[in-house]
Amino acid sequence: MSYRDVVSRRVLAWALVAVGARMPVAMAPLALVFLARERPGGYALGAALAAAYVVGEIVGAPVLGMRLDPGRARPQLAAGLVAGAVGFACLGTFADAPDALLAAFAFLAGAGPAAVSGGLRALLTSLVPRHAAAQALSVETMLTFGVWAVAPAAVAGLALGMGPRLPLLLEAALMAAAALGLWLLPAGWAAEPDGPGGRGASKLRVLARAWPVYVTGAAGLSLLSLAELILPALLEQRGIGVGWAGPLLTVMSVASAAGAFGYGLRSWPGRLATRSVVLMAGMSAAVCLVALIPAAPGMAVALAVAGLLQSGALLTRNLSLREALPHALAAGYSVMYAAVSAGYAATGSLAGALLPHTTPSTAILAGVALTLLLTAVGWWGEIRAGRSARGAGDGVAAGPLAGGAGAEGAPVGGGGDAQRGL
């Protein structure tokens, strides 16, 4: 396996647009907290604004993603980015507005570009040869974790050094630049052929078939929620300076990028559903160790292991979705975006509700239990759907919802023909 087929000017242009579109998303929650920090309501208002932003993402992703036209996606993606830029610009410009109006701006900033992530992923895989799709998704994962590693430090430095409005204005400028950058890329990707249900099939019904993959995706990001939101409180419990939260999360992001690179270098054996369960179980065990280890160096090692496994879990999830929805990829990616946002919010809310009544370490362990429950439900759904498909005689249907590997026991690798649903 090689990344040679991914290296091109078009992919470089895509990467620049993706950074402009995703850096604001990574910066937004912390930027909203800093914006509200000195207002009446303080951190509680910041959390409410961040919640409004996430709700916007959850609502906007499936609604807008299902309406993307593969052949003419550029104007739709650009409109979403412009809407997000307007939302961020209003937050930064009218920072003294009433709380309800700020929440409306945050909702717009989250909802407007919510389908862009799925559209850009579908566009990326159209820019590379079919056999290099896994490497392309590995590159995307590395880029994503790089953005998430830089974003918190950028927000904190700008907000504390130059004012809390500046990060939001920068986010607006980045999204506007990404909208312009779309004209460096193709107008869309190849129109998706009619699915098994024919032209009359409801796209919503087709998307609903992949529900086990969405559940597994929600489980994957719920662990990231635990690491990000509860880590400062856990450090205080251990008597470690809260300032170590940033470096520890950076270690996790760097390890995730390294894991994504390694995943794309070779083929991996086993069915995607089984591989996903193994990775999620390992990541859950690593997060449990974070909750139990008393010293910062040990916590850093556990977070690095969690990050290394997280990137593999993320990639297997995207591989599973491509195999489950070969005829509705962009819409499927958008629904997945909503699902993982919901998983992040649900686990963070559970842990936050438990914190006043228990220790941070116990809250993390409860969140891990919820993650394992979601993982088990997703795995059961994929296995059950695979058995139903085989029982119905769908002998050649590929994908985790139709049997996983292309043949029983055959390796399902990073970019081979068995992964054509990537």
Side-chain angles (χ1 to χ4, degrees), residues 114-331:
V116 171
S117 178
L120 285 177
R121 183 174 297 129
L123 184 59
L124 172 63
T125 52
S126 75
L127 297 177
V128 301
R130 185 173 179 176
H131 66 268
Q135 285 68 42
L137 288 181
S138 293
V139 168
E140 183 206 23
T141 303
M142 288 185 277
L143 181 70
T144 297
F145 283 114
V147 165
W148 281 90
V150 170
V155 171
L158 290 172
L160 296 176
M162 304 182 70
R165 298 172 185 247
L166 191 60
L168 292 157
L169 295 175
L170 175 60
E171 290 166 51
L174 286 171
M175 279 206 165
L180 292 175
L182 286 171
W183 269 260
L184 299 174
L185 300 173
W189 52 93
E192 294 154 349
D194 295 325
R199 290 184 181 272
S202 164
K203 181 174 282 191
L204 183 61
R205 184 178 177 183
V206 171
L207 292 173
R209 294 174 187 166
W211 70 264
V213 188
Y214 304 142
V215 172
T216 305
L221 211 67
S222 65
L223 287 175
L224 179 62
S225 171
L226 291 174
E228 288 188 340
L229 301 179
I230 310 301
L231 184 58
L234 180 65
L235 291 174
E236 284 192 351
Q237 178 190 355
R238 297 283 186 258
I240 303 170
V242 177
W244 281 101
L248 287 172
L249 290 175
T250 298
V251 167
M252 184 177 182
S253 295
V254 171
S256 295
F261 178 79
Y263 192 97
L265 287 177
R266 53 157 294 175
S267 297
W268 298 91
R271 296 182 177 184
L272 287 171
T274 303
R275 199 187 316 166
S276 179
V277 168
V278 171
L279 289 167
M280 287 298 302
M283 188 179 173
S284 298
V287 174
C288 285
L289 289 176
V290 172
L292 299 175
I293 292 174
M299 294 171 72
V301 172
L303 282 170
V305 173
L308 196 70
L309 298 175
Q310 182 191 25
S311 56
L314 175 66
L315 284 163
T316 55
R317 182 189 72 201
N318 287 331
L319 289 165
S320 296
L321 191 63
R322 282 184 58 88
E323 291 193 344
L325 297 174
H327 309 292
L329 272 179

Side-chain angles (χ1 to χ4, degrees), residues 17 19-25 53 77-78 80-86 88 108-110 112-114 116 169-182:
V17 172
V19 169
R22 295 180 181 180
M23 183 67 77
V25 175
Y53 176 84
L77 297 178
L81 289 169
V82 169
V86 169
F88 284 122
L108 174 63
V116 171
L169 295 175
L170 175 60
E171 290 166 51
L174 286 171
M175 279 206 165
L180 292 175
L182 286 171

